[in-house]
Amino acid sequence: MHKEKDVAIVGSGLVGSLLAIFLRNQGHKVTVFDRRPDVRKVQFSGRSINLAMSNRGWKALREAGVEDEIRDLALPLDKRAMHVEGQPVYFQKYGEEGEAIYSISRGVLNRKMIDLAEAAGAEFRFEEKIWDVDMKEARLYTGESEKSVWKEYKFDLIFGADGAFSRVRHKMQRQSRFNYSQHFIDVGYKELTILANEDGSHKLDNSSFHIWPRGNFMLIAMPNLDGTFTCTLFMPFEGDISFESLKTEQQADAFFETYFPDIKDEISNLKKDFFKNPTSAMVTIKCFPWSYFDKITLVGDSAHAIVPFYGQGMNAGFEDISVLNEKIDKYGDDWEQIFEEYQTERKPNADAIAELSYRNFIEMSSKTANPLFLLRKKIEKKFAQNHPDLWIPLYSRVTFSDKAYSEALKIGDYQREIMDEVMKIPHIEETWESKEVEQKIIDLINN
Ligand SMILES: Cc1cc2nc3c(=O)[nH]c(=O)nc-3n(C[C@H](O)[C@H](O)[C@H](O)COP(=O)(O)OP(=O)(O)OC[C@H]3O[C@@H](n4cnc5c(N)ncnc54)[C@H](O)[C@@H]3O)c2cc1C
């Protein structure tokens, strides 16, 4: 049994509400602040951003004792459906039999997580924005505005789960030797919807993650339980084909008709969303340290925001909570040691998944149509199928395992060097399925 602490969590997003469940399970008093109104009470179509939940996310939910409730809200996707221009749709299995990522609506998930945290005894204070933090004393200040009279709260511990533009981190940044960087990519995103058929069924295969790779831009779609698909259009902010260049209905019609002919019937709805929904930016944020003595630590996007091209932001945030929990089990009431080990262990892993996510962005935008790149992937896949003991693909290490992200990055780099050599084999396009190529990979691994 732990010594009960009076704990504040800033942010009732996915990571903050999961942390609230863990801390309540350990018997602490938990108050969660959020500047937004209660998401369970605001009018919400249920069709906001969709997230892919994978192994690391499920592991954390299992440890919190809420996995089954969340599974009911998710749809398994065991393959990609590739909608390449000028070709019929083809499917690529994600992993081994039974391995899948899970499509879940962020809004639906967040509502459920808050319900579960509240049922576990956490108190939620919505529409209370944190303006300042007294780090030494673990005090929080909330109020109407930066200039209004603030209300003061005193706690034993504070967790900053307040997302990429964290106020808690902002305060920590004023310390000497606090490192911080942020990098926006020049691509933005917009949410669009494919409606359900009249009978409520899905218009596309509902056990696939759909991708329309188009070089500089890309559309993806993930199914919802209600028969709709949430699509995300990733596209440069400026340039020939960009959010800026599509200004009129005619331009949007021509764009969807030209590049997405297989969902042509959806154009009027896609177009409506295109002009109605905001265009959002994507950023990688890195910082260190994450903790302040035994008083404060950052979790989730506030510590490490990443671009979404590996589908790991929430998964990584949930894994933070798993690791924190492990450290609490190990060190009991020694919060300084808990925070210190947590940040030391997590930082290289957060940096690794940031790097992998950024690389995937480059790969998806510039390489998916390159025949040599596709051949490389085919060779890797075939070898991994024949020699699962020698080769686990990088995607599987990240998505279907809970081994460290930093290890996945390191092994991925080593596999890339091997594949660079394989691709130098003369006439590899013709010989890639031969025994010689297979043996060459084995020799390279053994060397
Ligand atoms: C397009 C897109 C697709 C994505 N796809 C995936 C995916 O497939 N899989 C995946 O794992 N991840 C994905 N992610 C990432 C995922 O959405 C985030 O990593 C996750 O939501 C982070 O959760 P969080 O709780 O740390 O932060 P947030 O969800 O940002 O929550 C922060 C909370 O803090 C509150 N807050 C902020 N400031 C204050 C303040 N001063 N006072 C009080 N409250 C405050 C906010 O209101 C908010 O409720 C995606 C992200 C994007 C943008």
Side-chain angles (χ1 to χ4, degrees), residues 10-17 33-36 39 49-54 106 110 128-131 161-168 189 191 209 220 222 232 234 280-282 299-302 304-308 310-318:
V10 183
S12 70
L14 302 175
V15 177
S17 43
F33 291 86
D34 205 295
R35 64 176 179 193
R36 293 180 314 190
V39 280
I49 276 188
N50 265 39
L51 302 169
M53 178 90 72
S54 51
R106 179 157 75 176
N110 205 171
E128 260 203 83
K129 178 168 175 164
I130 304 303
W131 288 100
D162 47 345
F165 300 99
S166 164
R167 196 80 189 177
V168 179
Y189 72 91
E191 300 296 324
F209 182 103
I220 63 168
M222 292 169 83
T232 314
F234 295 98
S280 306
M282 286 168 284
V299 291
D301 276 17
S302 69
H304 49 75
I306 60 178
V307 292
Y310 230 114
Q312 285 295 312
M314 165 196 61
N315 286 288
F318 279 13

Side-chain angles (χ1 to χ4, degrees), residues 190 192 217 219 233 235 240-261 263-277:
K190 205 184 259 292
L192 311 171
F217 59 97
L219 183 73
L233 177 62
M235 191 156 70
D240 283 348
I241 301 177
S242 66
F243 285 113
E244 187 195 58
S245 72
L246 296 178
K247 289 201 179 78
T248 64
E249 299 240 335
Q250 289 88 325
Q251 284 168 334
D253 276 335
F255 171 73
F256 286 115
E257 243 169 73
T258 310
Y259 295 107
F260 309 106
I263 44 170
K264 212 154 102 190
D265 294 347
E266 298 304 307
I267 288 181
S268 77
N269 195 55
L270 293 170
K271 203 171 61 179
K272 192 176 89 221
D273 286 349
F274 185 88
F275 289 111
K276 189 184 76 194
N277 292 347

